[in-house]
Amino acid sequence: MTEPSVFIVDDDKSVREALLFLMKSVQLNASAYASAKEFLTLFDPDCPGCLVSDIRMPGMSGLELLQELQQRNSQLPIIFITGHGDVPMAVGAIKNGAEDFLTKPFRDQELLDCINTAIDKDKQLRSKKDAKDAIIRRLSSLTNREKQVLDKVVAGKANKVIAADLSLSHRTVEVHRSHVMEKMQARSLAELVKLIQLVKQEQN
Amino acid sequence: MNYELTSHNSFAALLDAAVDSIIVSDSTGIMLVVNPAATKLFGYQKKEIMGKNIKMLMPEKDNLHHDGYMKNYLETGQRKIIGLGRETTGVKKDHSVFPMYLSVGHIKNSDGDNFVGIIHDLTTRQQQQRQLEQHEIEIRKLQEKLAHVARISTLGEMVTGIAHEINQPLTAISTYAQGSIRMLNSKAADTTELLAAQQKITGQAERAAQVIGKIRNFAKKTNIKHQPQNCNALISEVASLAEVHAKELGVTLQLQLSEHPDLLVMVDGIQVQQVALNLINNAIESMTNAQDQKQVIIRTTKLDENTAEISVHDNGEGLAEALEEQMFDAFFTTKSAGLGMGLAICQSIIASHQGIIRFRRNPDKGCTFSFTLPTAVGITL
Ligand SMILES: Nc1ncnc2c1ncn2[C@@H]1O[C@H](COP(=O)(O)OP(=O)(O)O)[C@@H](O)[C@H]1O
Ligand SMILES: [Mg+2]
């Protein structure tokens, strides 16, 4: 897995370079971009880490960048760094899903704490997403009949009821059910229900 | 009284009635005739001065030369005052000196040469002039004050942008400094990199100082002084100050400087910058709600030998035609936080530079403000 990285977006070259220097001083991977556009063109959703962005920038603002990433289904955590005047704007950004905000100039420890929290969160989100993706992959390997059986099993119906519902023999339902358990890599009914719930939660 | 003309009744009546003082003297300066207006003006009784030398009515500096003038005139006919008139001063009995207009005529008769002096008192006129001058000085001082207050208020409107402009280098400085401390505390301290960071810190401190310097320069109290100034330099400098406001509102400024790099204008530099800043700020503010590219174009042009022009072009919202006429009125504003003094001050400053400030609607969008300034022809810096 690739190392997490800090993506820095600020139109002010000196602030950008200073942040790169600070990241280097704590051995964090980092890359910097002069605009939201530049970041988006080079953006790789598979790269873990977090984004540290200015709010007020010519062209696309930090808030617009946040919306664009959400539209692209990215969950990359964003920390805004802003001038004092933008505090109300930053509060709005938090409500819209930004991770945190700091006013410039900031204490390094505060920023690094935010960054570490954000990177951890990103890691969790990614492993959750990986797990979910795996379940979805397993789900897609089921036949239609197996899916029907799965739905009923998860709904808590007994094999006998399922057989009647689907006009199948009791034996056939048992075979389907064992295939489902195998394909879904679930060792018990409880585990199967948990897996399905994990996927459903996200879909709602 | 042996002067033959005095026997003439009508002449005596004329002397009595004259508002101006009339004094006749002989060639040595002995006063032969003094009319009532003269005795009243100089504060003497008639008997106190009749037969005395006219020098007693002159300040010392003139009275030293008096005999010389007379002699010189009589010998060479060279005129300093005789036959002409001029402004000079007289001395009253109480030794007070007053301004007067003196014309002297030469009377040749059988007895020899006599001179008639007609004196018009200028005390009142001089007082009025002094008062007028005093008023002008006061008005100029008030204008200076008003312009200064307006500059401060303009900076006040730009305060968010200014704070941001200083906050950026501060952020860079503090980030470099904190990063340096971390690096120094770690085993992996890299001298080259630390040195580079210190250099960046120095550069950023310089950047902040420059912003403050520009503002301090613009905010200071000055005495109006028209002198040759480089037009392009004045405008680029003030544009960099306006950049602060432009950035805050997401507007880009484009400078199109005249191809005459040493176009000199005869102006008060700060006041001209004040005018330019007002117009640029207005242009920036006219685009607050614009969606497309927000751009202000600032141009300097040499119109002819005697005239330079500075123009500010925006693609903002413009102003309703019905309101255009009021734009230059004091306190006219369409902005919620506006003061409405900007254009009024611009107009008075440009008028005091014998320039013209103009407004026109752009064919496509927004408007263009421009003003002319006199060049400093024939003067090199
Ligand atoms: N470039 C411009 N575009 C549109 N309207 C303008 C422009 N410049 C000035 N105005 C109008 O003229 C008014 C007066 O301007 P000014 O005297 O500078 O005062 P203020 O900027 O405080 O309102 C503004 O409120 C605005 O309505
Ligand atoms: Mg204005």
Side-chain angles (χ1 to χ4, degrees):
Chain A
M1 212 178 104
T2 40
E3 281 290 302
S5 191
V6 181
F7 307 102
I8 297 159
V9 181
D10 197 310
D11 61 312
D12 195 308
K13 185 165 171 260
S14 62
V15 173
R16 228 161 45 226
E17 289 179 347
L19 282 169
L20 280 177
F21 179 78
L22 180 63
M23 297 309 127
K24 187 159 201 176
S25 77
V26 290
Q27 278 106 42
L28 269 170
N29 284 334
S31 53
Y33 310 85
S35 68
K37 278 243 163 66
E38 191 186 320
F39 171 73
L40 284 171
T41 40
L42 297 166
F43 172 59
D44 175 0
D46 293 331
C47 278
C50 75
L51 188 62
V52 175
S53 172
D54 190 12
I55 291 195
R56 211 183 269 260
M57 292 180 288
M60 190 184 251
S61 75
L63 296 184
E64 287 163 338
L65 174 60
L66 170 68
Q67 280 164 1
E68 177 63 29
L69 285 173
Q70 285 172 344
Q71 216 132 62
R72 295 188 187 189
N73 282 321
S74 159
Q75 292 182 308
L76 192 66
I78 301 188
I79 297 158
F80 282 119
I81 46 171
T82 126
H84 285 273
D86 302 330
V87 169
M89 211 188 242
V91 172
I94 297 280
K95 287 190 184 144
N96 283 308
E99 199 51 35
D100 224 326
F101 81 86
L102 296 173
T103 50
K104 293 181 193 174
F106 35 78
R107 297 231 341 267
D108 59 345
Q109 194 56 58
E110 243 173 293
L111 177 66
L112 294 171
D113 288 348
C114 285
I115 287 176
N116 286 328
T117 314
I119 288 177
D120 281 350
K121 183 171 173 190
D122 182 59
K123 206 184 263 170
Q124 277 171 24
L125 286 173
R126 277 174 203 280
S127 63
K128 229 184 188 174
K129 189 170 177 296
D130 286 349
K132 204 183 86 184
D133 287 349
I135 300 165
I136 291 170
R137 262 199 312 280
R138 288 175 214 160
L139 271 174
S140 64
S141 71
L142 301 182
T143 63
N144 282 343
R145 198 47 111 187
E146 284 164 356
K147 265 182 206 152
Q148 285 173 330
V149 173
L150 170 70
D151 283 344
K152 309 243 175 224
V153 170
V154 173
K157 292 188 175 170
N159 284 359
K160 243 194 287 176
V161 182
I162 298 172
D165 279 359
L166 297 177
S167 320
L168 296 170
S169 74
H170 188 250
R171 175 72 196 134
T172 312
V173 171
E174 267 178 0
V175 172
H176 282 315
R177 184 173 178 147
S178 84
H179 281 164
V180 167
M181 295 299 277
E182 204 175 299
K183 284 186 180 173
M184 292 306 293
Q185 298 174 22
R187 275 161 304 179
S188 65
L189 175 59
E191 207 171 304
L192 183 68
V193 172
K194 243 187 232 159
L195 288 179
I196 297 306
Q197 252 168 1
L198 217 66
V199 183
K200 276 202 179 139
Q201 251 175 21
E202 294 292 327
Q203 277 162 351
N204 287 347
Chain B
M1 227 179 271
N2 58 359
Y3 200 67
E4 63 175 17
L5 279 180
T6 53
S7 61
H8 225 284
N9 272 345
S10 60
F11 181 68
L14 186 128
L15 282 179
D16 285 351
V19 176
D20 282 343
S21 308
I22 299 170
I23 298 174
V24 179
S25 69
D26 68 13
S27 60
T28 63
I30 298 302
M31 288 184 271
L32 308 172
V33 178
V34 178
N35 79 339
T39 52
K40 186 167 170 239
L41 175 61
F42 286 92
Y44 288 101
Q45 299 286 322
K46 193 170 179 179
K47 57 178 189 284
E48 286 179 293
I49 51 174
M50 282 298 283
K52 299 251 173 70
N53 196 297
I54 198 160
K55 283 193 274 189
M56 71 185 287
L57 305 180
M58 300 173 187
E60 214 161 332
K61 66 171 167 56
D62 291 338
N63 117 21
L64 286 174
H65 299 296
H66 184 254
D67 291 347
Y69 280 157
M70 291 285 213
K71 198 161 163 265
N72 185 45
Y73 169 75
L74 288 173
E75 280 167 9
T76 67
Q78 203 179 71
R79 294 167 168 196
K80 284 250 159 65
I81 185 166
I82 293 153
L84 307 163
R86 67 164 179 171
E87 274 183 32
T88 176
T89 47
V91 178
K92 297 191 184 191
K93 186 181 174 184
D94 64 6
H95 305 297
S96 63
V97 178
F98 67 96
M100 62 187 210
Y101 187 87
L102 171 66
S103 49
V104 179
H106 180 194
I107 311 166
K108 244 183 181 26
N109 58 26
S110 49
D111 299 352
D113 295 294
N114 286 331
F115 296 92
V116 56
I118 299 177
I119 294 161
H120 180 69
D121 182 11
L122 295 179
T123 308
T124 322
R125 204 191 77 181
Q126 198 184 53
Q127 274 169 355
Q128 282 171 343
Q129 225 163 25
R130 286 223 178 106
Q131 256 171 14
L132 212 66
E133 278 162 18
Q134 199 57 40
H135 281 161
E136 271 166 14
I137 290 171
E138 270 165 30
I139 286 173
R140 205 171 50 237
K141 273 192 189 148
L142 277 175
Q143 276 172 338
E144 266 171 19
K145 250 191 207 156
L146 180 63
H148 180 241
V149 169
R151 282 203 298 280
I152 301 284
S153 125
T154 302
L155 288 176
E157 286 161 16
M158 297 168 73
V159 78
T160 319
I162 291 169
H164 189 254
E165 204 52 26
I166 292 170
N167 211 28
Q168 292 296 87
L170 263 184
T171 302
I173 289 170
S174 94
T175 308
Y176 274 121
Q178 297 176 106
S180 298
I181 293 171
R182 284 183 187 273
M183 230 175 233
L184 284 165
N185 278 333
S186 77
K187 299 269 141 51
D190 175 341
T191 326
T192 322
E193 231 161 329
L194 280 168
L195 191 65
Q198 302 320 298
Q199 276 159 351
K200 295 279 186 186
I201 288 177
T202 315
Q204 290 303 306
E206 177 65 23
R207 172 183 169 195
Q210 267 176 13
V211 177
I212 291 171
K214 257 183 259 172
I215 289 158
R216 185 181 283 161
N217 186 42
F218 193 72
K220 77 179 172 212
K221 267 194 187 127
T222 55
N223 295 324
I224 298 172
K225 200 166 149 206
H226 291 206
Q227 51 192 6
Q229 299 270 4
N230 184 300
C231 185
N232 284 352
L234 274 184
I235 299 304
S236 346
E237 191 186 59
V238 76
S240 75
L241 187 54
E243 191 76 55
V244 163
H245 196 41
K247 247 194 219 164
E248 191 201 339
L249 296 176
V251 175
T252 53
L253 299 184
Q254 198 196 329
L255 264 181
Q256 293 180 358
L257 295 177
S258 155
E259 69 277 21
H260 301 278
D262 30 52
L263 174 57
L264 292 185
V265 283
M266 194 66 185
V267 299
D268 182 86
I270 298 250
Q271 288 209 331
V272 165
Q273 290 189 322
Q274 177 172 6
V275 172
L277 185 62
N278 268 324
L279 298 185
I280 300 170
N281 279 351
N282 277 347
I284 292 168
E285 286 156 15
S286 78
M287 292 186 279
T288 343
N289 299 319
Q291 289 304 321
D292 42 328
Q293 213 201 6
K294 304 178 184 182
Q295 192 178 50
V296 173
I297 303 169
I298 303 147
R299 202 174 284 148
T300 63
T301 329
K302 182 177 174 182
L303 286 189
D304 57 51
E305 267 323 295
N306 304 309
T307 326
E309 187 188 64
I310 289 103
S311 69
V312 179
H313 173 287
D314 66 61
N315 52 3
E317 288 172 1
L319 187 68
E321 220 176 312
L323 296 177
E324 277 174 11
E325 243 177 68
Q326 303 169 54
M327 214 161 28
F328 286 91
D329 294 351
F331 302 115
F332 172 77
T333 182
T334 54
K335 299 167 196 168
S336 54
L339 191 61
M341 281 304 290
L343 288 177
I345 296 228
C346 287
Q347 197 164 43
S348 87
I349 290 177
I350 293 308
S352 77
H353 282 83
Q354 273 81 49
I356 300 169
I357 185 162
R358 288 193 197 89
F359 154 84
R360 74 163 192 273
R361 247 168 288 132
N362 295 334
D364 46 349
K365 208 163 178 286
C367 45
T368 303
F369 282 83
S370 62
F371 58 93
T372 59
L373 293 174
T375 58
V377 194
I379 303 167
T380 38
L381 271 185

